[in-house]
Amino acid sequence: MTFARIAGVGGYLPGEPVTNQDLIARGVDTDDAWIVSRTGIRTRHFAAQGVTSSDLALEASRRALAMAGMEAGALDLILVATSTPDMIFPSTATILQAKLGNVGAAAFDLQAVCAGFVYALSVAEKFIRSGSHKKVLVVGADVFSRILDWNDRNTCVLFGDGAGAVVLEAAEYPGILGTAIHADGSKNAILNVPGQVSGGKVTGDPFLRMDGQAVFKFAVSILPSVAQQTCDTAGVSLDEVSWLIPHQANVRIIEFTGKKLGMKPEQVIVTVGEHGNTSAASIPLALDAAVRDGRIQHGQKVILVGVGGGFTWGAVLLRF
């Protein structure tokens, strides 16, 4: 039987950190203490003009491939989870493929907003388990700074740009122990970017809009339950899980999720303070940080949980 395991991880944040005070200096009507107390965010990173999601994905992918000891040409599938593609088409995954120098791998984008990486990892695992593909690059990359309304202080302080990547490969033992992904389209209005391009012009509202209170209530109800569901499906007790890596959106959501699952605070990976909400990139960025600083050790079980606009949510249980 064929299974999937993680062979390498990588992350990338563009430019220098932008502090809350930097945003205030730029004219955002906000307060550092308010942002930190409500979200935990102290800094974020913004891509320079002309830098795209595929550019960020390229750097994260190179680092993941280097850790895996793999050449890009060996990949037979490339998945990019993004809500901010380089262009309408072709997919950001094919653009990344060209930058990596890979020819022949299947490549496509997946759109599930902040749950995108969990969705993509789940899909990639199924490709490997089927036997059709053996070496898969999974990337979460977003440049949310391009869709923020800088006059909306309730949203513009929350987000940043970044990319995270993992390399999956076929293995004789399971590295991914369980997955679960869900959606409820009836809640699409509480977090969206309702604009579009038509006839060469932007129609509707091209900026991110969010009902923060509704998002918070939904996230804290669904993240613990999908984590528990994934563990139950895999036949693994939460007591056996060493680390929880939630979507890095808000420290209050993260802390609530960890407490609800009975995880000790030191078992919950938190990086939102350094990069803000980077959407599909947030979970792999946190995973990369915890692997590279030595917290996550070989053989430990790790659960990833994400929730995003749509509304979408899901979890992946790993044995690293």
Side-chain angles (χ1 to χ4, degrees), residues 115 118-119 178-183 218-234 238 244 246 257 260-261 303-307 312-317:
V118 168
Y119 262 61
T179 68
I181 52 175
H182 303 281
F218 187 77
V220 297
S221 69
I222 208 68
L223 289 174
S225 64
V226 76
Q228 184 67 65
Q229 176 200 354
T230 306
C231 287
D232 291 346
T233 301
L238 276 166
L244 169 68
T257 303
K260 187 75 173 178
L261 291 171
I303 190 156
L304 318 177
V305 289
V307 59
T312 58
W313 66 96
V316 175
L317 179 63

PDB file of all heavy atoms in Angstrom, residues 115 118-119 178-183 218-234 238 244 246 257 260-261 303-307 312-317:
ATOM      1  N   ALA A 115      -8.390  28.252   4.177  1.00  0.00           N
ATOM      2  CA  ALA A 115      -8.322  26.802   4.351  1.00  0.00           C
ATOM      3  C   ALA A 115      -7.665  26.141   3.137  1.00  0.00           C
ATOM      4  O   ALA A 115      -7.605  24.909   3.059  1.00  0.00           O
ATOM      5  CB  ALA A 115      -9.714  26.215   4.557  1.00  0.00           C
ATOM      6  N   VAL A 118      -4.810  23.408   3.658  1.00  0.00           N
ATOM      7  CA  VAL A 118      -5.341  22.147   4.180  1.00  0.00           C
ATOM      8  C   VAL A 118      -6.075  21.395   3.074  1.00  0.00           C
ATOM      9  O   VAL A 118      -5.922  20.168   2.936  1.00  0.00           O
ATOM     10  CB  VAL A 118      -6.256  22.412   5.389  1.00  0.00           C
ATOM     11  CG1 VAL A 118      -7.047  21.163   5.757  1.00  0.00           C
ATOM     12  CG2 VAL A 118      -5.441  22.882   6.583  1.00  0.00           C
ATOM     13  N   TYR A 119      -6.873  22.100   2.296  1.00  0.00           N
ATOM     14  CA  TYR A 119      -7.557  21.483   1.156  1.00  0.00           C
ATOM     15  C   TYR A 119      -6.543  20.876   0.184  1.00  0.00           C
ATOM     16  O   TYR A 119      -6.683  19.733  -0.261  1.00  0.00           O
ATOM     17  CB  TYR A 119      -8.389  22.536   0.418  1.00  0.00           C
ATOM     18  CG  TYR A 119      -9.858  22.571   0.752  1.00  0.00           C
ATOM     19  CD1 TYR A 119     -10.302  22.845   2.042  1.00  0.00           C
ATOM     20  CD2 TYR A 119     -10.825  22.361  -0.227  1.00  0.00           C
ATOM     21  CE1 TYR A 119     -11.657  22.918   2.337  1.00  0.00           C
ATOM     22  CE2 TYR A 119     -12.178  22.420   0.052  1.00  0.00           C
ATOM     23  CZ  TYR A 119     -12.593  22.700   1.341  1.00  0.00           C
ATOM     24  OH  TYR A 119     -13.937  22.766   1.621  1.00  0.00           O
ATOM     25  N   GLY A 178      -4.694  11.287   8.461  1.00  0.00           N
ATOM     26  CA  GLY A 178      -6.116  11.542   8.261  1.00  0.00           C
ATOM     27  C   GLY A 178      -6.362  12.942   7.749  1.00  0.00           C
ATOM     28  O   GLY A 178      -5.568  13.850   8.001  1.00  0.00           O
ATOM     29  N   THR A 179      -7.453  13.115   7.016  1.00  0.00           N
ATOM     30  CA  THR A 179      -7.831  14.430   6.505  1.00  0.00           C
ATOM     31  C   THR A 179      -9.346  14.584   6.585  1.00  0.00           C
ATOM     32  O   THR A 179     -10.088  13.602   6.584  1.00  0.00           O
ATOM     33  CB  THR A 179      -7.396  14.644   5.036  1.00  0.00           C
ATOM     34  OG1 THR A 179      -8.162  13.781   4.182  1.00  0.00           O
ATOM     35  CG2 THR A 179      -5.920  14.354   4.839  1.00  0.00           C
ATOM     36  N   ALA A 180      -9.788  15.837   6.628  1.00  0.00           N
ATOM     37  CA  ALA A 180     -11.218  16.143   6.550  1.00  0.00           C
ATOM     38  C   ALA A 180     -11.361  17.550   5.977  1.00  0.00           C
ATOM     39  O   ALA A 180     -10.671  18.470   6.427  1.00  0.00           O
ATOM     40  CB  ALA A 180     -11.875  16.071   7.921  1.00  0.00           C
ATOM     41  N   ILE A 181     -12.203  17.714   4.978  1.00  0.00           N
ATOM     42  CA  ILE A 181     -12.463  19.040   4.417  1.00  0.00           C
ATOM     43  C   ILE A 181     -13.965  19.214   4.220  1.00  0.00           C
ATOM     44  O   ILE A 181     -14.666  18.266   3.859  1.00  0.00           O
ATOM     45  CB  ILE A 181     -11.722  19.279   3.086  1.00  0.00           C
ATOM     46  CG1 ILE A 181     -11.985  18.161   2.071  1.00  0.00           C
ATOM     47  CG2 ILE A 181     -10.222  19.418   3.324  1.00  0.00           C
ATOM     48  CD1 ILE A 181     -11.362  18.407   0.699  1.00  0.00           C
ATOM     49  N   HIS A 182     -14.451  20.434   4.473  1.00  0.00           N
ATOM     50  CA  HIS A 182     -15.875  20.737   4.410  1.00  0.00           C
ATOM     51  C   HIS A 182     -16.091  22.153   3.894  1.00  0.00           C
ATOM     52  O   HIS A 182     -15.156  22.958   3.841  1.00  0.00           O
ATOM     53  CB  HIS A 182     -16.507  20.620   5.803  1.00  0.00           C
ATOM     54  CG  HIS A 182     -16.345  19.294   6.459  1.00  0.00           C
ATOM     55  ND1 HIS A 182     -17.127  18.208   6.129  1.00  0.00           N
ATOM     56  CD2 HIS A 182     -15.488  18.870   7.421  1.00  0.00           C
ATOM     57  CE1 HIS A 182     -16.757  17.179   6.864  1.00  0.00           C
ATOM     58  NE2 HIS A 182     -15.766  17.558   7.662  1.00  0.00           N
ATOM     59  N   ALA A 183     -17.340  22.464   3.571  1.00  0.00           N
ATOM     60  CA  ALA A 183     -17.709  23.821   3.177  1.00  0.00           C
ATOM     61  C   ALA A 183     -19.188  24.060   3.448  1.00  0.00           C
ATOM     62  O   ALA A 183     -19.991  23.121   3.483  1.00  0.00           O
ATOM     63  CB  ALA A 183     -17.404  24.066   1.700  1.00  0.00           C
ATOM     64  N   PHE A 218     -17.886  31.598  13.992  1.00  0.00           N
ATOM     65  CA  PHE A 218     -17.876  30.387  13.179  1.00  0.00           C
ATOM     66  C   PHE A 218     -16.572  29.620  13.365  1.00  0.00           C
ATOM     67  O   PHE A 218     -16.572  28.399  13.527  1.00  0.00           O
ATOM     68  CB  PHE A 218     -18.074  30.740  11.707  1.00  0.00           C
ATOM     69  CG  PHE A 218     -18.232  29.535  10.827  1.00  0.00           C
ATOM     70  CD1 PHE A 218     -19.419  28.838  10.770  1.00  0.00           C
ATOM     71  CD2 PHE A 218     -17.162  29.076  10.068  1.00  0.00           C
ATOM     72  CE1 PHE A 218     -19.563  27.715   9.975  1.00  0.00           C
ATOM     73  CE2 PHE A 218     -17.286  27.956   9.266  1.00  0.00           C
ATOM     74  CZ  PHE A 218     -18.487  27.276   9.214  1.00  0.00           C
ATOM     75  N   ALA A 219     -15.448  30.353  13.361  1.00  0.00           N
ATOM     76  CA  ALA A 219     -14.144  29.698  13.467  1.00  0.00           C
ATOM     77  C   ALA A 219     -13.988  28.930  14.771  1.00  0.00           C
ATOM     78  O   ALA A 219     -13.522  27.781  14.775  1.00  0.00           O
ATOM     79  CB  ALA A 219     -13.034  30.738  13.326  1.00  0.00           C
ATOM     80  N   VAL A 220     -14.377  29.540  15.882  1.00  0.00           N
ATOM     81  CA  VAL A 220     -14.173  28.867  17.168  1.00  0.00           C
ATOM     82  C   VAL A 220     -15.120  27.691  17.364  1.00  0.00           C
ATOM     83  O   VAL A 220     -14.863  26.808  18.195  1.00  0.00           O
ATOM     84  CB  VAL A 220     -14.300  29.853  18.350  1.00  0.00           C
ATOM     85  CG1 VAL A 220     -13.224  30.925  18.280  1.00  0.00           C
ATOM     86  CG2 VAL A 220     -15.690  30.483  18.413  1.00  0.00           C
ATOM     87  N   SER A 221     -16.188  27.647  16.577  1.00  0.00           N
ATOM     88  CA  SER A 221     -17.092  26.500  16.682  1.00  0.00           C
ATOM     89  C   SER A 221     -16.637  25.344  15.807  1.00  0.00           C
ATOM     90  O   SER A 221     -16.801  24.168  16.170  1.00  0.00           O
ATOM     91  CB  SER A 221     -18.516  26.913  16.291  1.00  0.00           C
ATOM     92  OG  SER A 221     -18.608  27.207  14.904  1.00  0.00           O
ATOM     93  N   ILE A 222     -16.035  25.658  14.648  1.00  0.00           N
ATOM     94  CA  ILE A 222     -15.752  24.613  13.663  1.00  0.00           C
ATOM     95  C   ILE A 222     -14.340  24.041  13.765  1.00  0.00           C
ATOM     96  O   ILE A 222     -14.115  22.851  13.473  1.00  0.00           O
ATOM     97  CB  ILE A 222     -16.025  25.147  12.232  1.00  0.00           C
ATOM     98  CG1 ILE A 222     -16.410  23.995  11.311  1.00  0.00           C
ATOM     99  CG2 ILE A 222     -14.835  25.935  11.683  1.00  0.00           C
ATOM    100  CD1 ILE A 222     -17.743  23.373  11.640  1.00  0.00           C
ATOM    101  N   LEU A 223     -13.347  24.837  14.176  1.00  0.00           N
ATOM    102  CA  LEU A 223     -11.972  24.343  14.195  1.00  0.00           C
ATOM    103  C   LEU A 223     -11.773  23.189  15.180  1.00  0.00           C
ATOM    104  O   LEU A 223     -11.193  22.160  14.810  1.00  0.00           O
ATOM    105  CB  LEU A 223     -10.997  25.485  14.490  1.00  0.00           C
ATOM    106  CG  LEU A 223     -10.821  26.501  13.358  1.00  0.00           C
ATOM    107  CD1 LEU A 223      -9.945  27.663  13.813  1.00  0.00           C
ATOM    108  CD2 LEU A 223     -10.223  25.837  12.118  1.00  0.00           C
ATOM    109  N   PRO A 224     -12.237  23.291  16.428  1.00  0.00           N
ATOM    110  CA  PRO A 224     -12.066  22.138  17.322  1.00  0.00           C
ATOM    111  C   PRO A 224     -12.786  20.888  16.838  1.00  0.00           C
ATOM    112  O   PRO A 224     -12.267  19.771  16.955  1.00  0.00           O
ATOM    113  CB  PRO A 224     -12.656  22.638  18.657  1.00  0.00           C
ATOM    114  CG  PRO A 224     -12.583  24.128  18.576  1.00  0.00           C
ATOM    115  CD  PRO A 224     -12.827  24.449  17.129  1.00  0.00           C
ATOM    116  N   SER A 225     -13.978  21.063  16.262  1.00  0.00           N
ATOM    117  CA  SER A 225     -14.749  19.888  15.850  1.00  0.00           C
ATOM    118  C   SER A 225     -14.108  19.173  14.668  1.00  0.00           C
ATOM    119  O   SER A 225     -14.091  17.936  14.627  1.00  0.00           O
ATOM    120  CB  SER A 225     -16.190  20.290  15.511  1.00  0.00           C
ATOM    121  OG  SER A 225     -16.237  21.156  14.399  1.00  0.00           O
ATOM    122  N   VAL A 226     -13.547  19.920  13.707  1.00  0.00           N
ATOM    123  CA  VAL A 226     -12.931  19.242  12.558  1.00  0.00           C
ATOM    124  C   VAL A 226     -11.610  18.595  12.957  1.00  0.00           C
ATOM    125  O   VAL A 226     -11.235  17.547  12.418  1.00  0.00           O
ATOM    126  CB  VAL A 226     -12.760  20.207  11.362  1.00  0.00           C
ATOM    127  CG1 VAL A 226     -11.598  21.178  11.558  1.00  0.00           C
ATOM    128  CG2 VAL A 226     -12.575  19.420  10.066  1.00  0.00           C
ATOM    129  N   ALA A 227     -10.908  19.179  13.921  1.00  0.00           N
ATOM    130  CA  ALA A 227      -9.695  18.538  14.432  1.00  0.00           C
ATOM    131  C   ALA A 227     -10.042  17.213  15.103  1.00  0.00           C
ATOM    132  O   ALA A 227      -9.386  16.187  14.877  1.00  0.00           O
ATOM    133  CB  ALA A 227      -8.984  19.467  15.406  1.00  0.00           C
ATOM    134  N   GLN A 228     -11.083  17.238  15.924  1.00  0.00           N
ATOM    135  CA  GLN A 228     -11.520  16.013  16.602  1.00  0.00           C
ATOM    136  C   GLN A 228     -11.992  14.965  15.603  1.00  0.00           C
ATOM    137  O   GLN A 228     -11.660  13.770  15.726  1.00  0.00           O
ATOM    138  CB  GLN A 228     -12.644  16.339  17.582  1.00  0.00           C
ATOM    139  CG  GLN A 228     -13.097  15.153  18.417  1.00  0.00           C
ATOM    140  CD  GLN A 228     -12.047  14.687  19.388  1.00  0.00           C
ATOM    141  OE1 GLN A 228     -11.688  15.412  20.312  1.00  0.00           O
ATOM    142  NE2 GLN A 228     -11.540  13.462  19.196  1.00  0.00           N
ATOM    143  N   GLN A 229     -12.738  15.398  14.593  1.00  0.00           N
ATOM    144  CA  GLN A 229     -13.224  14.474  13.566  1.00  0.00           C
ATOM    145  C   GLN A 229     -12.072  13.776  12.857  1.00  0.00           C
ATOM    146  O   GLN A 229     -12.108  12.559  12.632  1.00  0.00           O
ATOM    147  CB  GLN A 229     -14.059  15.227  12.521  1.00  0.00           C
ATOM    148  CG  GLN A 229     -14.526  14.352  11.370  1.00  0.00           C
ATOM    149  CD  GLN A 229     -14.916  15.139  10.129  1.00  0.00           C
ATOM    150  OE1 GLN A 229     -14.940  16.376  10.151  1.00  0.00           O
ATOM    151  NE2 GLN A 229     -15.219  14.446   9.051  1.00  0.00           N
ATOM    152  N   THR A 230     -11.043  14.543  12.518  1.00  0.00           N
ATOM    153  CA  THR A 230      -9.902  13.977  11.802  1.00  0.00           C
ATOM    154  C   THR A 230      -9.161  12.957  12.650  1.00  0.00           C
ATOM    155  O   THR A 230      -8.763  11.893  12.158  1.00  0.00           O
ATOM    156  CB  THR A 230      -8.952  15.102  11.359  1.00  0.00           C
ATOM    157  OG1 THR A 230      -9.686  16.064  10.607  1.00  0.00           O
ATOM    158  CG2 THR A 230      -7.824  14.565  10.500  1.00  0.00           C
ATOM    159  N   CYS A 231      -8.983  13.272  13.915  1.00  0.00           N
ATOM    160  CA  CYS A 231      -8.329  12.318  14.812  1.00  0.00           C
ATOM    161  C   CYS A 231      -9.174  11.055  14.983  1.00  0.00           C
ATOM    162  O   CYS A 231      -8.645   9.934  14.957  1.00  0.00           O
ATOM    163  CB  CYS A 231      -8.077  12.961  16.172  1.00  0.00           C
ATOM    164  SG  CYS A 231      -6.741  14.174  16.185  1.00  0.00           S
ATOM    165  N   ASP A 232     -10.476  11.224  15.148  1.00  0.00           N
ATOM    166  CA  ASP A 232     -11.357  10.074  15.309  1.00  0.00           C
ATOM    167  C   ASP A 232     -11.312   9.161  14.094  1.00  0.00           C
ATOM    168  O   ASP A 232     -11.257   7.926  14.222  1.00  0.00           O
ATOM    169  CB  ASP A 232     -12.796  10.545  15.543  1.00  0.00           C
ATOM    170  CG  ASP A 232     -12.995  11.216  16.894  1.00  0.00           C
ATOM    171  OD1 ASP A 232     -12.105  11.079  17.756  1.00  0.00           O
ATOM    172  OD2 ASP A 232     -14.027  11.887  17.073  1.00  0.00           O
ATOM    173  N   THR A 233     -11.324   9.774  12.900  1.00  0.00           N
ATOM    174  CA  THR A 233     -11.280   8.998  11.661  1.00  0.00           C
ATOM    175  C   THR A 233      -9.991   8.204  11.551  1.00  0.00           C
ATOM    176  O   THR A 233      -9.974   7.062  11.058  1.00  0.00           O
ATOM    177  CB  THR A 233     -11.432   9.926  10.445  1.00  0.00           C
ATOM    178  OG1 THR A 233     -12.674  10.622  10.541  1.00  0.00           O
ATOM    179  CG2 THR A 233     -11.395   9.138   9.137  1.00  0.00           C
ATOM    180  N   ALA A 234      -8.898   8.800  12.032  1.00  0.00           N
ATOM    181  CA  ALA A 234      -7.590   8.141  11.949  1.00  0.00           C
ATOM    182  C   ALA A 234      -7.362   7.168  13.101  1.00  0.00           C
ATOM    183  O   ALA A 234      -6.351   6.450  13.110  1.00  0.00           O
ATOM    184  CB  ALA A 234      -6.491   9.196  11.947  1.00  0.00           C
ATOM    185  N   LEU A 238      -6.448  12.583  20.799  1.00  0.00           N
ATOM    186  CA  LEU A 238      -5.820  13.895  20.876  1.00  0.00           C
ATOM    187  C   LEU A 238      -4.651  13.896  21.851  1.00  0.00           C
ATOM    188  O   LEU A 238      -3.720  14.711  21.709  1.00  0.00           O
ATOM    189  CB  LEU A 238      -6.847  14.954  21.283  1.00  0.00           C
ATOM    190  CG  LEU A 238      -7.694  15.536  20.144  1.00  0.00           C
ATOM    191  CD1 LEU A 238      -8.889  16.301  20.698  1.00  0.00           C
ATOM    192  CD2 LEU A 238      -6.845  16.437  19.252  1.00  0.00           C
ATOM    193  N   LEU A 244      -0.379  21.383  17.692  1.00  0.00           N
ATOM    194  CA  LEU A 244      -1.521  21.921  16.957  1.00  0.00           C
ATOM    195  C   LEU A 244      -1.046  23.141  16.176  1.00  0.00           C
ATOM    196  O   LEU A 244      -0.445  24.051  16.745  1.00  0.00           O
ATOM    197  CB  LEU A 244      -2.630  22.335  17.923  1.00  0.00           C
ATOM    198  CG  LEU A 244      -3.790  23.167  17.333  1.00  0.00           C
ATOM    199  CD1 LEU A 244      -4.612  22.329  16.364  1.00  0.00           C
ATOM    200  CD2 LEU A 244      -4.672  23.723  18.458  1.00  0.00           C
ATOM    201  N   PRO A 246      -2.906  25.816  13.983  1.00  0.00           N
ATOM    202  CA  PRO A 246      -4.135  26.367  13.412  1.00  0.00           C
ATOM    203  C   PRO A 246      -3.811  27.444  12.373  1.00  0.00           C
ATOM    204  O   PRO A 246      -2.695  27.969  12.319  1.00  0.00           O
ATOM    205  CB  PRO A 246      -4.839  27.002  14.626  1.00  0.00           C
ATOM    206  CG  PRO A 246      -3.910  26.852  15.787  1.00  0.00           C
ATOM    207  CD  PRO A 246      -2.583  26.444  15.261  1.00  0.00           C
ATOM    208  N   THR A 257      -9.125  27.603  20.308  1.00  0.00           N
ATOM    209  CA  THR A 257      -9.092  26.283  19.673  1.00  0.00           C
ATOM    210  C   THR A 257      -8.222  25.321  20.463  1.00  0.00           C
ATOM    211  O   THR A 257      -8.601  24.171  20.720  1.00  0.00           O
ATOM    212  CB  THR A 257      -8.600  26.394  18.224  1.00  0.00           C
ATOM    213  OG1 THR A 257      -9.441  27.287  17.490  1.00  0.00           O
ATOM    214  CG2 THR A 257      -8.590  25.034  17.544  1.00  0.00           C
ATOM    215  N   LYS A 260      -9.960  24.375  23.755  1.00  0.00           N
ATOM    216  CA  LYS A 260     -11.103  23.484  23.523  1.00  0.00           C
ATOM    217  C   LYS A 260     -10.649  22.055  23.266  1.00  0.00           C
ATOM    218  O   LYS A 260     -11.334  21.090  23.642  1.00  0.00           O
ATOM    219  CB  LYS A 260     -11.906  24.007  22.334  1.00  0.00           C
ATOM    220  CG  LYS A 260     -13.218  23.298  22.074  1.00  0.00           C
ATOM    221  CD  LYS A 260     -14.277  23.678  23.073  1.00  0.00           C
ATOM    222  CE  LYS A 260     -15.633  23.101  22.703  1.00  0.00           C
ATOM    223  NZ  LYS A 260     -16.671  23.435  23.703  1.00  0.00           N
ATOM    224  N   LEU A 261      -9.491  21.901  22.628  1.00  0.00           N
ATOM    225  CA  LEU A 261      -8.970  20.575  22.309  1.00  0.00           C
ATOM    226  C   LEU A 261      -8.133  19.984  23.435  1.00  0.00           C
ATOM    227  O   LEU A 261      -7.626  18.863  23.308  1.00  0.00           O
ATOM    228  CB  LEU A 261      -8.138  20.640  21.021  1.00  0.00           C
ATOM    229  CG  LEU A 261      -8.919  20.912  19.736  1.00  0.00           C
ATOM    230  CD1 LEU A 261      -7.972  21.179  18.574  1.00  0.00           C
ATOM    231  CD2 LEU A 261      -9.845  19.744  19.408  1.00  0.00           C
ATOM    232  N   ILE A 303      -1.380  18.209  14.131  1.00  0.00           N
ATOM    233  CA  ILE A 303      -2.645  18.442  13.442  1.00  0.00           C
ATOM    234  C   ILE A 303      -2.719  19.869  12.947  1.00  0.00           C
ATOM    235  O   ILE A 303      -2.431  20.821  13.677  1.00  0.00           O
ATOM    236  CB  ILE A 303      -3.859  18.077  14.323  1.00  0.00           C
ATOM    237  CG1 ILE A 303      -5.126  18.089  13.482  1.00  0.00           C
ATOM    238  CG2 ILE A 303      -3.981  18.977  15.548  1.00  0.00           C
ATOM    239  CD1 ILE A 303      -6.246  17.254  14.018  1.00  0.00           C
ATOM    240  N   LEU A 304      -3.059  20.005  11.672  1.00  0.00           N
ATOM    241  CA  LEU A 304      -3.238  21.303  11.023  1.00  0.00           C
ATOM    242  C   LEU A 304      -4.737  21.552  10.881  1.00  0.00           C
ATOM    243  O   LEU A 304      -5.467  20.672  10.420  1.00  0.00           O
ATOM    244  CB  LEU A 304      -2.597  21.310   9.634  1.00  0.00           C
ATOM    245  CG  LEU A 304      -1.227  20.653   9.460  1.00  0.00           C
ATOM    246  CD1 LEU A 304      -0.803  20.714   7.986  1.00  0.00           C
ATOM    247  CD2 LEU A 304      -0.192  21.316  10.345  1.00  0.00           C
ATOM    248  N   VAL A 305      -5.203  22.756  11.246  1.00  0.00           N
ATOM    249  CA  VAL A 305      -6.620  23.067  11.104  1.00  0.00           C
ATOM    250  C   VAL A 305      -6.767  24.460  10.502  1.00  0.00           C
ATOM    251  O   VAL A 305      -6.075  25.394  10.901  1.00  0.00           O
ATOM    252  CB  VAL A 305      -7.384  22.988  12.442  1.00  0.00           C
ATOM    253  CG1 VAL A 305      -7.521  21.560  12.901  1.00  0.00           C
ATOM    254  CG2 VAL A 305      -6.718  23.824  13.523  1.00  0.00           C
ATOM    255  N   GLY A 306      -7.656  24.588   9.507  1.00  0.00           N
ATOM    256  CA  GLY A 306      -7.847  25.870   8.847  1.00  0.00           C
ATOM    257  C   GLY A 306      -9.303  26.148   8.544  1.00  0.00           C
ATOM    258  O   GLY A 306     -10.110  25.232   8.380  1.00  0.00           O
ATOM    259  N   VAL A 307      -9.629  27.439   8.482  1.00  0.00           N
ATOM    260  CA  VAL A 307     -10.977  27.869   8.129  1.00  0.00           C
ATOM    261  C   VAL A 307     -10.850  29.120   7.278  1.00  0.00           C
ATOM    262  O   VAL A 307      -9.987  29.963   7.512  1.00  0.00           O
ATOM    263  CB  VAL A 307     -11.826  28.130   9.392  1.00  0.00           C
ATOM    264  CG1 VAL A 307     -11.195  29.203  10.275  1.00  0.00           C
ATOM    265  CG2 VAL A 307     -13.257  28.503   9.041  1.00  0.00           C
ATOM    266  N   THR A 312     -15.121  27.636   4.110  1.00  0.00           N
ATOM    267  CA  THR A 312     -14.443  26.355   3.993  1.00  0.00           C
ATOM    268  C   THR A 312     -13.687  26.049   5.284  1.00  0.00           C
ATOM    269  O   THR A 312     -13.279  26.969   5.995  1.00  0.00           O
ATOM    270  CB  THR A 312     -13.431  26.389   2.834  1.00  0.00           C
ATOM    271  OG1 THR A 312     -12.484  27.457   3.075  1.00  0.00           O
ATOM    272  CG2 THR A 312     -14.119  26.621   1.504  1.00  0.00           C
ATOM    273  N   TRP A 313     -13.525  24.765   5.579  1.00  0.00           N
ATOM    274  CA  TRP A 313     -12.706  24.404   6.744  1.00  0.00           C
ATOM    275  C   TRP A 313     -12.221  22.971   6.585  1.00  0.00           C
ATOM    276  O   TRP A 313     -12.754  22.186   5.803  1.00  0.00           O
ATOM    277  CB  TRP A 313     -13.495  24.568   8.042  1.00  0.00           C
ATOM    278  CG  TRP A 313     -14.672  23.666   8.263  1.00  0.00           C
ATOM    279  CD1 TRP A 313     -14.699  22.502   8.959  1.00  0.00           C
ATOM    280  CD2 TRP A 313     -16.028  23.862   7.784  1.00  0.00           C
ATOM    281  NE1 TRP A 313     -15.962  21.961   8.963  1.00  0.00           N
ATOM    282  CE2 TRP A 313     -16.804  22.774   8.269  1.00  0.00           C
ATOM    283  CE3 TRP A 313     -16.656  24.848   7.016  1.00  0.00           C
ATOM    284  CZ2 TRP A 313     -18.154  22.645   7.986  1.00  0.00           C
ATOM    285  CZ3 TRP A 313     -18.005  24.732   6.747  1.00  0.00           C
ATOM    286  CH2 TRP A 313     -18.751  23.650   7.224  1.00  0.00           C
ATOM    287  N   GLY A 314     -11.170  22.652   7.330  1.00  0.00           N
ATOM    288  CA  GLY A 314     -10.634  21.304   7.231  1.00  0.00           C
ATOM    289  C   GLY A 314      -9.465  21.086   8.166  1.00  0.00           C
ATOM    290  O   GLY A 314      -9.004  22.006   8.860  1.00  0.00           O
ATOM    291  N   ALA A 315      -8.983  19.850   8.204  1.00  0.00           N
ATOM    292  CA  ALA A 315      -7.857  19.485   9.065  1.00  0.00           C
ATOM    293  C   ALA A 315      -7.059  18.360   8.419  1.00  0.00           C
ATOM    294  O   ALA A 315      -7.608  17.557   7.649  1.00  0.00           O
ATOM    295  CB  ALA A 315      -8.340  19.056  10.450  1.00  0.00           C
ATOM    296  N   VAL A 316      -5.779  18.313   8.749  1.00  0.00           N
ATOM    297  CA  VAL A 316      -4.897  17.235   8.305  1.00  0.00           C
ATOM    298  C   VAL A 316      -4.078  16.785   9.505  1.00  0.00           C
ATOM    299  O   VAL A 316      -3.476  17.610  10.205  1.00  0.00           O
ATOM    300  CB  VAL A 316      -3.947  17.696   7.176  1.00  0.00           C
ATOM    301  CG1 VAL A 316      -2.968  16.588   6.812  1.00  0.00           C
ATOM    302  CG2 VAL A 316      -4.727  18.119   5.952  1.00  0.00           C
ATOM    303  N   LEU A 317      -4.076  15.493   9.757  1.00  0.00           N
ATOM    304  CA  LEU A 317      -3.277  14.915  10.842  1.00  0.00           C
ATOM    305  C   LEU A 317      -2.015  14.298  10.249  1.00  0.00           C
ATOM    306  O   LEU A 317      -2.099  13.433   9.368  1.00  0.00           O
ATOM    307  CB  LEU A 317      -4.087  13.851  11.584  1.00  0.00           C
ATOM    308  CG  LEU A 317      -3.371  13.131  12.739  1.00  0.00           C
ATOM    309  CD1 LEU A 317      -3.002  14.104  13.855  1.00  0.00           C
ATOM    310  CD2 LEU A 317      -4.247  11.998  13.271  1.00  0.00           C
TER     311      LEU A 317
END
